[in-house]
Every structure is written in C-alpha cells, then in structure tokens.
Amino acid sequence: MTAAAPPVPVQNPTRLADMVRTANGLNAARVFASVLVVIFHAAIPYMVSPIPIWVVHDTAQHVSIDLLVFWINGFVMPLFFLLAGLSIAKASWQLPFREFVWQRFSRLGATILLAVFLIMPLLLFSWAIGLLWTERLTIPNLVRLRFPRELHAYLGPGHLWFLEYLLLMSVAWSAVARVSLRWPFMARLVQGKWAHRALGSVGGPLVFALSTAAILAFDVDTPFRLIAPFMPDLARVLYYLAFFVAGIWLAGMSQSFATLRAHAIVHLVVATVAFGGLCPLTLCYFAKTLQVPGQWALTGLQAIFVWCMVFGFLGAMLRWCSDRHEWIRYVNEASFWLYLAHFPVVCAMQLVVWPLQINPWGKVLIVAATGIAVSLIAYEYCVRYSWLGAVINGSRKQHVTTRGWRLEAGWLSLVSVGLMLLTGFLWTGWNSVAGSNLHTVVAGSIYRSNRLEPNELNEIITQHKIRSVISLADGNANDGWFQSQQEICTDRGIQLATMAFKESEVPSSADLEQLQLALKESWRPVLIIGGNRSPTLSGFGSAVAILLEGDSLDVALGQLDLRFFQLEGPEHCIVAQPLREYRDWLSANKTAHSVDTFCQWTKQVQATETEMAAAKKQQPAWQATMGAPRYPRRF
C-alpha cells in the first residue's frame, strides 16, 4: 500500500482574483504614467514659462501647455518612485543584503550602462544640434568639450537620473532595513507599522504631505528642477525618497489597495482643488514674480497636490482599470524601454517641427505620438525577444518561431548602421576639426585653413606661393603658436595681419570693417587662418573675401555649410550673423550686392550696434540659456 500524497494547497479563488485585478491596476498605472512622461517631455518647448536649457525653445506657445506640464511634473515621478517601492518591498526585507544589492545592480546598473551606450549618444547628438541651431553653442565648444558657464549647471545624465536615484535609494533602504533588525523599536519604525493607520485613512495623504512640505520649505525649487546634474541633489533625493518609502510601507499593509480604491475619488477631488490654487502661483514662480507669502502657499499646496494626486491616481487605476486588457499588458511590458528610448526621439522631433508654423498643441501631439510609436516599434522588432529585452525586463521573452542569433538581428542592424554613419561622420569632419582644413576658395588667389603647425604653414606657403596671411583667431603675444606664426611670416617676407575674432561672438561692424581693409590691402595669394580645430572663423573670413571679389552672397555663405563640417550651417552660425543681416538689408531695400554697397552698409550699422550692446547689458543672465540672440521668448 503506497503512502498518500501530501495535499496540494488550494488558493482562495476570491483572493486570487483580487490579486490579479490589483496587478492589472498597477500595470495600468505604469502604462499611463509612462505615456504622461512622454507627453511631458514633448510639451516643454511650447511653454510660456521660461524653462532654461531645453533642446529648442519654440515660439509657438500657450499657457495651457504650461498647466499640463505643471500637472504631469507634479505627480508622475513621485508616482514612479512609489511604484518602485511597492515592487521591491518584499525583496528588500527577505533577500540577503548582498543578494539584494547584486540584484539591484544587475537590474538597474546594467540598464544604465546599456542606455549610456545606446540611448545617450542619440540624445546628446540631438541636443547638440538644437543648441547649435539656436546659437547657444558652437562647434569649438563641442570639439573641445568646453561649454559656456551658463550651461554648466545643466550638464547631467538626462532622463537617466531616475535610475541613478532609484539605485541609490534601493541599496540605502536595504542597508537601513538590515541594521534596524537588531533593535525591535527601530525595526517597527522602519517597517512603518505606525504609519499604517494614516495610510488607511482618507486623510493619509495630508499626513505624508507634512514631510514633503518641510523639504519644500527649505528648497521650494526641488520639484521644478527638470534637468538633474550628475551628482545627486540632496533635496531631490529626500523628496523622492518619501514616496519610495511610502510605497514600501503600502506593500506591507493589509488591505492597502482596497483603501486606495475606496478613497480614490476624494483624493482626486482634493488634488484638483489644490492644483487650481497652484496654477497661478506656479506661473508667477517661473516668471520670478512670486513673493514670500506666495512661496509659502506654493509649498503647502504643492505638498497636498502631489500626495493626493499620487494616491488618487493609483486608486483610480486599481478601481477602474483592473480588468485585463492586452494592450495595457503589452505597453506595461514595454514601459521601461519606452521610458529609456523616447527621449532622443522626442528631442529630434522637436527640432523637426520647430520651423513649422502650426498650433503648439498640434506640435505636442505630433512629437508625443512619434516618440511613443517609434519606441514601441523599436521594442517589438529590436528589443522584446533579444538580449536587450533580457537586460531591460530582467528576463528573456521567448519567440515562438525565431531562435538563435536572429533574435538579435534588429538591434544589431541598427547599431551597425549607426556605427557606419558615425564613422562616415567622423571621417568627413576629421580634417575640418583636427586637421589643417586647407581649402581653395579662389584658385591662385584665396585659401583658407584652421590654425596650422609651423611646419604645415611653411609647407603651404611654399606649395601655394602664399604672399599674405590673415589670422583671425584671438592671438596672444605670449602664445607659442602666435610667435611661431610671426617668425615664419617675417623670415619668408609674408605680409601678416592678425585680428581677435571669437567663434562664440557676433563680429562687430568695426571688426568687419577691419577685416575688409585687411583683405583689400593683402597681396595675393592670401591665406585666411581661423581658430584651433574650428572651421568657423576661416569660413567667415572666406565669405567676406568672396563678397569683396564681387561674387554673390549665396556663394559667400556657402563657405559656412556642411562641406566644412559646419553642422549649424550659415543660417545658424553665430559669426555669420552680419552676413545674414546684410542679406536682409539688401532684400528690404531691393538692392543688388556690390563691393561698394557691402562696405557702405558695414559703416552704417555702427549706430545700431551701439543700441544693441546697451540692450544686451539689461538682459537677465538666465536669458542666455533660452535661445538668444535670434530666438526670443515671449515671457
């Protein structure tokens, strides 16, 4: 007689169904929060409020977009941290410390590394193009990695700051949890037993709002700093840590999800009322007109809004989106990738729609829809079943028909194409930024180059029988290169003219007049030398030389195009602004270009420049990050 098999435990069908509905609601919360993040990033350029240093600041704006951005920014990232706390709560207590830390590093650390190598280059390229086109950056800034001082505070990991903060919080929380187990009182405190009563009441968000209000009282700007630096911001860490810990405490509380469902409507109503009071205060805060009493009101209302909105939104998802929907299941599966991949797509699309004269809400819709669609298509064909999907989702999905290396074909193809484009890009621009960049402007008469080594200068003088050199880069008598240039020109009997142009500044009419005089008096052939690893100044000097030869303005502006690795092109190059102004003046006066007209126009703009210089002195320092000088914002 065989022994009876042990009884199989039977799950309570009601409890199992409730768990499934709760999981569906949490999935829906992640999905809609991820979509809102895309909309948030897509809408920023079209705000009336002055958000510093974005990829581009569009002149199509509406205050309703400001309110949308304030609403999303107010609660979505706190919601993500609360959901993260819910998801790791059990593991943070039950797993051994080393195993938990390794799990977090392998999950989040690997994802950060993956994003740094696959996502960040695309994001940095789109931002570089945007800053070049809006004349806040120059090619030399990028080549030398030397950025204007006003941009230093905005250099950071982009949208990856969330993963950085989450990794730090997870490890720190696990360490505190392990230490607290040695003392029963501290363990109860860390486990949040005392907070369960507040979490289970309708006024729970107001209790938690007190901690957030205390942080905002010391640093009211905490939730409004949209671009995080590489070094974690203590105020932001503490701010989001409150929601992370609240998520862990919610996970350890019985009937927590039932409580959220029951109070969802009340929390949403309170959040809506608080947001109504926040709107005028936040607009004034961004306009830098909010006084101290208003800042205290902003602090209190922001704390109430964020907690009520997080609890209310999560409760609403648990209450009304708890049924299984295949599209929610799929987007939830792709939500992590959507968060990682959408940002460069959104930034690139903001550059694409920038010249279009359409409604700002239309631009938001186009940019957001494209960001979501491209990210989901990339997930399906490049990530979902591949090694990338295993890194991002923590496990590998199995494809029904495809096996082996073919699962990696999608992302490997994109990386291969990207590497080929990058190689071609660098090959094309290598001579322009790292080599001599010698070009013939007018055969036998005018040549251009970057700053040359002494042996290169000697060789070019001999090869092209150069008789004059015009050096446009800012020279210094103590500079070894500057001294070598003078010695060579003196020994070879070469006429030398030196000037002090800068790649990041618009040449004045006095500078332009000096250059015209030097070009007129120079012996031919003449070599125009620009800056170090920069074709910008030599391109400008060549363009002026072409105009003095009597050629057309279009041909002259061609000296600042992509052939010479001028990514911003003549229409957005800072030093080309006088030439664009001259073109506009010719068009307004219906006059054709001639050498005499060009020289006379240069003398006429002296008075206008004096007025512009006086106006620039009155410009606020932060205005430099907003797209000035030719892309003003309507504040």
Side-chain angles (χ1 to χ4, degrees), residues 552-584:
S552 70
L553 189 55
D554 290 337
V555 173
L557 289 172
Q559 291 293 313
L560 292 156
D561 61 19
L562 281 172
R563 290 176 300 161
F564 308 101
F565 207 66
Q566 288 291 140
L567 301 180
E568 66 271 48
E571 297 304 320
H572 304 289
C573 179
I574 294 175
V575 299
Q577 182 166 322
L579 303 182
R580 294 190 296 263
E581 292 174 354
Y582 175 57
R583 180 184 60 189
D584 295 340

Side-chain angles (χ1 to χ4, degrees), residues 329-353:
R329 183 195 63 80
Y330 180 81
V331 179
N332 175 66
E333 178 189 311
S335 60
F336 203 2
W337 171 256
L338 176 62
Y339 177 80
L340 294 174
H342 80 277
F343 204 13
V345 179
V346 164
C347 292
M349 283 304 300
Q350 286 167 348
L351 290 173
V352 170
V353 303

Side-chain angles (χ1 to χ4, degrees), residues 147-372:
F147 304 105
R149 183 174 300 175
E150 59 268 15
L151 302 185
H152 287 177
Y154 305 100
L155 299 176
H159 62 313
L160 300 183
W161 70 268
F162 168 68
L163 302 182
E164 177 188 3
Y165 281 33
L166 185 57
L167 180 58
L168 293 175
M169 289 180 190
S170 300
V171 174
W173 169 261
S174 182
V176 171
R178 296 303 184 279
V179 171
S180 71
L181 292 177
R182 300 179 182 181
W183 299 282
F185 172 77
M186 186 176 177
R188 289 193 297 272
L189 185 68
V190 171
Q191 291 172 9
K193 302 293 186 182
W194 58 273
H196 287 177
R197 184 173 181 179
L199 288 170
S201 67
V202 68
L206 301 181
V207 176
F208 282 90
L210 295 175
S211 62
T212 304
I215 297 171
L216 296 179
F218 285 99
D219 187 358
V220 70
D221 197 43
T222 298
F224 303 121
R225 289 195 286 272
L226 303 184
I227 300 179
F230 287 107
M231 186 63 66
D233 184 333
L234 179 60
R236 284 166 62 88
V237 170
L238 294 176
Y239 181 78
Y240 292 114
L241 180 63
F243 298 94
F244 180 76
V245 173
I248 294 176
W249 289 347
L250 271 174
M253 172 186 163
S254 61
Q255 300 298 316
S256 57
F257 299 116
T259 302
L260 289 173
R261 284 192 288 266
H263 301 321
I265 296 177
V266 175
H267 291 158
L268 288 176
V269 169
V270 174
T272 303
V273 173
F275 185 71
L278 270 177
C279 289
L281 295 174
T282 310
L283 288 171
C284 291
Y285 178 77
F286 274 86
K288 303 185 185 303
T289 60
L290 189 64
Q291 303 301 318
V292 173
Q295 290 186 10
W296 286 108
L298 176 66
T299 296
L301 288 174
Q302 178 67 30
I304 294 171
F305 165 73
V306 62
W307 281 103
C308 288
M309 192 65 209
V310 166
F311 278 49
F313 184 87
L314 188 55
M317 294 296 104
L318 292 168
R319 185 169 185 172
W320 293 303
C321 297
S322 57
D323 294 333
R324 180 180 175 85
H325 297 281
E326 287 302 316
W327 71 271
I328 288 181
R329 183 195 63 80
Y330 180 81
V331 179
N332 175 66
E333 178 189 311
S335 60
F336 203 2
W337 171 256
L338 176 62
Y339 177 80
L340 294 174
H342 80 277
F343 204 13
V345 179
V346 164
C347 292
M349 283 304 300
Q350 286 167 348
L351 290 173
V352 170
V353 303
W354 178 38
L356 303 181
Q357 300 298 316
I358 60 177
N359 184 279
W361 278 102
K363 291 190 175 185
V364 172
L365 180 62
I366 293 171
V367 172
T370 305
I372 294 171

Side-chain angles (χ1 to χ4, degrees), residues 39-47 51 64-75 226 275 286:
I39 296 173
F40 165 72
H41 287 143
I44 288 177
Y46 315 107
M47 298 173 64
I51 301 295
S64 59
I65 296 178
D66 295 53
L67 303 183
L68 173 68
V69 170
F70 298 155
W71 180 73
I72 297 174
N73 180 65
F75 81 95
L226 303 184
F275 185 71
F286 274 86

Side-chain angles (χ1 to χ4, degrees), residues 40-62:
F40 165 72
H41 287 143
I44 288 177
Y46 315 107
M47 298 173 64
V48 174
S49 299
I51 301 295
I53 193 64
W54 199 254
V55 59
V56 67
H57 288 90
D58 209 300
T59 53
Q61 306 160 13
H62 198 274

